[in-house]
């Protein structure tokens, strides 16, 4: 059955092609497995709640008939702006408008604060926003701050950060009163909107399986902060179900998260750390996971989603967020950029993608840039594969002579996971490539022009004088069932056939390294290469500790609590990038490699002279069997179905021969091709 929707249609349609519905929700109320909802171009100001699930092989499909022409938005137009009287200092750029709170129903985003575990509330932030031509202004706390319109030192777009708004409640009239500084714009001649809805396409019920959302523009919802210990909502999301496909969509300006593959509501355990403070957040996180296990978190019921070919940008917390609900998913061919650039939201849950428990999740061929952190894999990155992605500029703008005010993050952060986590055939160009407060990671055939940071640290929980190690779960192979909990010995990392390129380290980064040398969370290392693993054992050195009898009655030893071994082979080093001394590596100390990227005719090109200096050295063609399994789960670096991987396919999908060169390309000619 096909149902038709057109925003310009009259009320009372029956969903036929000749007499379409005028709201998507009218179709969402009745569409069932195998049905298709065809939506014409137009603005749809509604929160679509898909009522009925599809079936495997027979999804309910919601499709925009023109690519990105159907626009679902959580915003409403706000008109009738008036200039604020006696506003001489700002040349009349401050305006005010009112709206009845009846338009918000039982959810007013201008009386509801951003809040949740691991959110740092350094300012009062409401879930609502004011938008000028689709771009959100910066909230402040008073009309006076609106008038002053001072630039935010932390915002990436410092110029636009002077566009301010403030709202207050007129309780007598039951109205929200807005004040905004539009500078040279007349709001009555521009598109000015306010957030009115929490979500845009999101089922209220759990278990609405097998839904496809294809080709829509989705924007401007008041999604709440989404930590792993809370009900994780997004502007779009499957809400604890299985088998969704979100494809070819443009997703932008969610207050917090654009797409959520996240956790369901656990009423007694929701934001428990924030509410009671008696249990540490790490402990409440463990409680959430164990409760979910009892309440049906299994491969058969949850996850296996696909997000592909979407452009996701300008969201406040994350482009994609998830905990538990994203297992066994594929996230591929997406363009994710400019996430958390306003720097008005802060905390430990921020990134282009932020996922806990990314069990057997594949991140493939994504272009991720200009985010406060590219991908953050937190807890239980087991069977996770990050392959053929391009990362760059995931760091706040560097302004000569000024300190960076925002967080200096990295392309990927892997935190307190036991692996196996596989990073292969990627390009990392940000100053910090991978934060490795973890173990059980293999990196194969990458270009790495940024550093490894937090090696051997970042896994404790910050107690002042007492021991506070974080114990995190590992799972049965390719399943959700918990196999055990363990803290971190560090190491158990493998580096094969990578190219390391040191970029110049600016003065500020040098100062950060000195200041954080003994910081237990992050050493702020900017030196590229495997050198942070200098004092880790080889497998042979580690194995020697277990010679002879090691059971009960053997002499006391630290063997079970010492650092795990590290493997490295076939890597190339340029521009002063430094290997660990035990590694047999090729070091080019003569030539200067330049590497960057540029946009040309709408295509992203890699600019480098690297392949002028690649030596005539061949590497071993790596296979699953050549890489030691992740130590704690005793699981191989393999495909989600348990089959072995042969690393014979490069960044572009081209086949390697049996004696490949290092890095993500089969040969130097490929760099003439656009990356995306």
């Amino acid at each position: 059955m096909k149902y038709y929707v057109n925003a310009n249609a009259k009320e009372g349609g029956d969903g036929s092609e000749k007499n379409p519905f005028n709201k998507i929700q009218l179709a969402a109320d009745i569409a069932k497995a195998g049905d298709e909802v065809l939506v014409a171009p137009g603005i749809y100001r509604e929160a679509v709640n898909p009522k009925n699930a599809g079936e495997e092989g027979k999804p309910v499909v919601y499709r925009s008939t023109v690519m990105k022409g159907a626009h679902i938005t959580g915003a409403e137009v706000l008109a009738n702006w008036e200039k604020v009287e006696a506003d001489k200092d700002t040349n009349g750029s401050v305006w005010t408008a009112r709206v009845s709170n009846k338009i918000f129903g039982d959810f007013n985003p201008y009386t509801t604060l951003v809040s949740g575990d691991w959110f740092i509330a350094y300012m009062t932030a409401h879930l609502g926003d004011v938008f000028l031509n689709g771009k959100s202004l910066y909230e402040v706390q008073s009309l006076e701050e609106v008038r002053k319109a001072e630039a935010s030192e932390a915002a990436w777009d410092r110029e636009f950060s002077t566009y301010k708004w403030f709202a207050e409640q007129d309780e007598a009239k039951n109205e929200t009163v807005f004040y905004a500084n539009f500078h040279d714009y007349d709001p009555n001649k521009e598109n000015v909107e306010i957030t009115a809805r929490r979500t845009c396409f999101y089922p209220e019920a759990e278990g609405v399986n097998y839904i496809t959302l294809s080709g829509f523009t989705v924007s401007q919802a008041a999604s709440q902060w989404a930590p792993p210990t809370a009900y994780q909502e997004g502007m779009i999301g499957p809400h604890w179900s299985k088998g969704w496909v979100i494809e070819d969509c443009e997703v932008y300006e969610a207050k917090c998260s654009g797409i959520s593959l996240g956790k369901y509501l656990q009423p007694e355990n929701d934001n428990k750390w924030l509410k009671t403070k008696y249990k540490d957040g790490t402990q409440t996180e463990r409680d959430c996971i164990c409760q979910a296990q009892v309440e049906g978190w299994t491969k058969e019921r949850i996850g296996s989603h696909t997000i592909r070919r979407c452009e996701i940008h300008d969201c406040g917390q994350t482009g994609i967020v998830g905990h538990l609900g994203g297992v066994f998913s594929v996230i591929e061919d997406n363009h994710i950029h400019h996430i958390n650039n306003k720097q008005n939201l802060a905390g430990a849950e921020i990134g282009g993608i932020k996922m806990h428990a990314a069990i057997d999740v594949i991140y493939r061929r994504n272009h991720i840039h200009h985010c406060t952190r590219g991908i953050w894999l937190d807890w239980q990155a087991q069977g996770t594969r990050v392959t053929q992605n391009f990362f760059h500029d995931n760091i706040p703008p560097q302004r000569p002579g000024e300190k960076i005010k925002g967080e200096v993050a990295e392309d990927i952060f892997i935190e307190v996971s036991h692996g196996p986590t596989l990073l292969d055939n990627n390009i990392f160009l940000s100053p910090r490539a991978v934060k490795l407060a973890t173990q059980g990671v293999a990196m194969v055939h990458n270009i790495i022009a940024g550093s490894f940071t937090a090696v051997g640290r970042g896994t404790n929980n910050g107690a002042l004088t007492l021991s506070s190690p974080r114990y995190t779960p590992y799972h049965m192979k390719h399943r959700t069932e918990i196999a055990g909990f363990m803290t971190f010995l560090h190491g158990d990392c493998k580096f094969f056939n990578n190219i390391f390129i040191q970029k110049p380290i600016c003065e500020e980064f040098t100062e950060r390294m000195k200041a954080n040398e003994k910081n237990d969370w992050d050493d702020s290392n900017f030196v590229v290469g495997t050198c942070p693993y200098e004092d880790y054992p080889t497998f042979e050195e580690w194995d020697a500790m277990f010679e002879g009898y090691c059971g009960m009655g053997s002499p006391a030893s630290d063997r079970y609590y010492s650092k795990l071994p590290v493997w490295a082979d076939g890597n190339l080093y340029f521009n002063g990038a430094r290997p660990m001394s035990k590694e047999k590596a090729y070091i080019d100390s003569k030539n200067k490699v330049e590497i960057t990227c540029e946009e040309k005719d709408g295509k992203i090109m890699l600019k480098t002279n690297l392949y002028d200096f690649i030596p005539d050295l061949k590497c071993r063609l790596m296979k699953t069997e050549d890489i030691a399994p992740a130590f704690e789960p005793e699981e191989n670096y393999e495909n989600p179905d348990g089959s072995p991987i042969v690393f014979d396919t490069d960044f572009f999908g081209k086949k390697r021969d049996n004696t490949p060169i290092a890095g993500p390309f089969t040969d130097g000619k490929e760099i003439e091709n656009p990356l995306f």
Side-chain angles (χ1 to χ4, degrees):
M1 185 77 178
K2 291 185 178 181
Y3 296 101
Y4 294 84
V5 182
N6 191 320
N8 296 315
K10 296 179 181 179
E11 291 186 9
D14 58 12
S16 64
E17 188 171 9
K18 292 183 178 180
N19 193 20
F21 295 130
N22 68 344
K23 295 286 186 182
I24 301 172
Q25 187 60 54
L26 296 172
D29 287 339
I30 57 176
K32 294 181 173 61
D35 290 345
E36 187 174 18
V37 177
L38 298 171
V39 184
I43 303 294
Y44 296 85
R45 300 187 185 277
E46 53 182 314
V48 180
N49 170 26
K51 294 290 183 67
N52 302 309
E55 300 171 4
E56 188 170 8
K58 293 175 60 179
V60 182
V61 177
Y62 295 79
R63 190 182 310 280
S64 173
T65 59
V66 174
M67 183 69 71
K68 301 179 183 178
H71 183 174
I72 307 172
T73 176
E76 293 287 341
V77 172
L78 182 57
N80 302 316
W81 288 85
E82 298 178 354
K83 284 188 177 181
V84 175
E85 295 179 357
D87 192 16
K88 298 178 181 178
D89 294 339
T90 58
N91 297 316
S93 61
V94 176
W95 300 69
T96 186
R98 289 171 169 262
V99 65
S100 169
N101 288 334
K102 292 179 181 179
I103 73 164
F104 302 126
D106 59 0
F107 166 70
N108 185 340
Y110 301 95
T111 59
T112 309
L113 298 180
V114 178
S115 179
D117 286 350
W118 289 281
F119 174 65
I120 301 174
Y122 71 92
M123 64 164 279
T124 301
H126 290 91
L127 288 181
D129 263 316
V130 177
F131 304 92
L132 173 62
N133 297 325
K135 188 171 182 177
S136 60
L137 279 61
Y138 288 65
E139 183 180 9
V140 290
Q141 312 304 304
S142 67
L143 174 57
E144 183 61 25
E145 290 176 87
V146 174
R147 287 194 174 104
K148 288 182 177 179
E150 294 178 344
S152 165
E153 293 185 352
W156 291 31
D157 186 349
R158 188 173 290 180
E159 181 179 354
F160 195 77
S161 74
T162 62
Y163 288 71
K164 309 286 192 180
W165 70 270
F166 165 68
E168 60 185 3
Q169 296 299 308
D170 185 336
E171 295 183 2
K173 295 183 178 180
N174 192 27
E175 293 178 338
T176 299
V177 184
F178 293 90
Y179 301 92
N181 194 324
F182 294 107
H183 292 279
D184 294 333
Y185 290 95
D186 181 342
N188 294 314
K189 296 180 181 178
E190 307 294 333
N191 178 28
V192 177
E193 297 167 291
I194 57 170
T195 322
R197 286 169 287 280
R198 188 186 293 273
T199 63
C200 287
F201 192 92
Y202 196 94
E204 293 180 5
E206 298 172 15
V208 183
N209 301 330
Y210 300 108
I211 300 290
T212 294
L213 183 72
S214 183
F216 286 81
T217 297
V218 184
S219 72
Q220 299 158 288
S223 56
Q224 181 59 280
W225 184 256
T229 49
Y231 166 51
Q232 288 184 311
E233 66 184 22
M235 190 156 61
I236 304 170
H239 190 187
W240 204 244
S241 65
K242 183 174 182 177
W244 275 45
V245 176
I246 302 167
E247 62 183 13
D248 299 309
C249 293
E250 181 177 6
V251 179
Y252 66 93
E253 284 287 5
K255 182 67 180 193
C256 290
S257 294
I259 298 174
S260 172
L261 304 181
K263 193 175 74 64
Y264 67 110
L265 177 64
Q266 297 175 335
E268 301 303 318
N269 220 11
D270 194 62
N271 285 313
K272 191 172 185 178
W273 187 32
L274 176 71
K275 293 174 182 176
T276 69
K277 294 295 183 183
Y278 295 127
K279 278 189 176 181
D280 185 274
T282 294
Q283 182 63 18
T284 62
E285 166 73 345
R286 284 189 287 261
D287 291 349
C288 285
I289 295 164
C290 292
Q291 180 179 338
Q293 191 79 85
V294 172
E295 294 178 345
W297 178 47
T298 66
K299 187 174 186 176
E300 290 71 30
R301 294 185 65 246
I302 302 299
S304 297
H305 305 298
T306 300
I307 302 174
R308 61 191 177 205
R309 301 187 302 272
C310 292
E311 182 179 5
I312 307 168
H313 61 97
D314 291 289
C315 297
Q317 179 192 340
T318 64
I320 301 171
V321 74
H323 180 213
L324 306 175
V327 289
F328 316 112
S329 294
V330 176
I331 298 173
E332 62 183 0
D333 298 305
N334 299 291
H335 183 195
I336 302 174
H337 59 98
H338 295 91
I339 302 297
N340 190 237
N341 285 186
K342 291 173 72 174
Q343 293 284 296
N344 61 327
L345 304 182
E349 306 302 326
I350 285 169
I353 300 173
K354 173 66 194 286
M355 287 187 70
H356 288 71
I359 298 172
D360 282 355
V361 176
I362 297 175
Y363 303 88
R364 181 167 55 207
R365 298 187 303 270
N366 299 289
H367 180 198
I368 303 178
H369 62 97
H370 291 92
C371 298
T372 301
R373 186 166 289 116
I375 297 177
W376 190 346
L377 302 172
D378 201 353
W379 290 53
Q380 306 146 275
Q382 182 169 331
T384 310
R385 187 177 184 184
V386 181
T387 181
Q388 299 170 301
N389 302 280
F390 180 38
F391 301 86
H392 63 93
D393 292 292
N394 293 306
I395 190 169
Q398 298 173 59
R399 299 180 174 99
E402 294 186 28
K403 294 279 188 184
I404 294 176
K405 302 297 183 182
E407 181 179 359
V408 178
E410 55 283 318
D411 288 331
I412 294 185
F413 182 9
I414 308 169
E415 186 176 12
V416 292
S417 295
H418 300 284
T421 308
L422 174 61
L423 281 57
D424 69 283
N425 293 292
N426 301 288
I427 303 170
F428 301 101
L429 295 190
S430 298
R432 291 162 45 123
V434 188
K435 190 172 182 179
L436 286 159
T438 193
Q439 63 189 48
V441 176
M443 297 188 68
V444 184
H445 279 293
N446 301 284
I447 285 178
I448 305 166
S451 64
F452 297 154
T453 187
V455 170
R457 55 188 88 193
T459 59
N460 294 324
N461 219 25
L464 185 60
T465 61
L466 301 177
S467 176
S468 58
R470 284 191 279 179
Y471 287 82
T472 65
Y474 53 96
H475 299 262
M476 304 299 292
K477 299 173 185 178
H478 310 296
R479 300 286 303 176
T480 60
E481 290 83 358
I482 297 168
F485 288 82
M486 187 55 187
T487 184
F488 295 87
L489 305 178
H490 298 283
D492 190 30
C493 290
K494 300 93 180 177
F495 305 98
F496 298 110
N497 302 354
N498 301 290
I499 298 174
F500 292 92
I501 304 169
Q502 178 72 62
K503 289 184 176 182
I505 303 175
C506 71
E507 182 178 350
E508 178 178 341
F509 293 165
T510 300
E511 292 176 358
R512 285 177 183 265
M513 285 194 290
K514 292 179 181 178
N516 290 292
E517 184 178 4
K518 297 183 179 180
N519 188 324
D520 190 48
W521 286 101
D522 187 346
D523 57 0
S524 294
N525 175 54
F526 286 91
V527 178
V528 175
T530 59
C531 55
Y533 290 97
E534 177 63 31
D535 60 349
Y536 284 70
T538 63
F539 174 77
E540 291 73 20
E541 291 170 333
W542 178 76
D543 184 56
M545 293 190 293
F546 298 88
E547 291 180 358
Y549 180 69
C550 292
M552 286 294 293
S554 61
S557 170
D558 290 333
R559 64 174 75 87
Y560 291 110
Y561 303 96
S562 64
K563 294 175 179 176
L564 296 171
V566 174
W567 292 257
D569 189 40
N571 301 306
L572 310 182
Y573 292 80
F574 295 91
N575 294 5
R578 290 166 44 193
M580 53 188 181
S581 60
K582 297 172 185 177
E583 177 182 351
K584 293 180 180 179
Y586 174 85
I587 303 173
D588 184 329
S589 56
K590 177 182 177 182
N591 299 296
K592 183 179 181 181
V593 170
E594 303 285 349
I595 187 165
T596 186
C597 63
E598 67 174 359
E599 185 173 343
K600 187 176 182 180
D601 299 326
K603 301 291 185 180
I604 302 299
M605 309 294 296
L606 191 65
K607 290 184 62 179
T608 183
N609 60 351
L610 169 64
Y611 287 87
D612 293 340
F613 310 124
I614 291 288
D616 187 21
L617 293 175
K618 299 298 184 179
C619 302
R620 177 171 53 164
L621 180 63
M622 299 298 297
K623 305 174 184 177
T624 290
E625 64 197 57
D626 300 318
I627 306 174
F631 175 75
E632 211 64 65
E634 301 177 6
E635 181 177 336
N636 288 321
Y637 294 84
E638 59 192 12
N639 289 309
D641 63 1
S643 63
I645 297 172
V646 178
F647 295 89
D648 61 354
T649 304
D650 78 352
F651 180 91
F652 287 111
K654 186 176 179 180
K655 287 293 184 180
R656 295 186 169 96
D657 60 27
N658 289 326
T659 54
I661 62 172
F665 304 122
T666 57
D667 58 62
K669 294 180 181 179
E670 286 189 289
I671 63 170
E672 299 174 3
N673 300 325
L675 302 179
F676 295 95

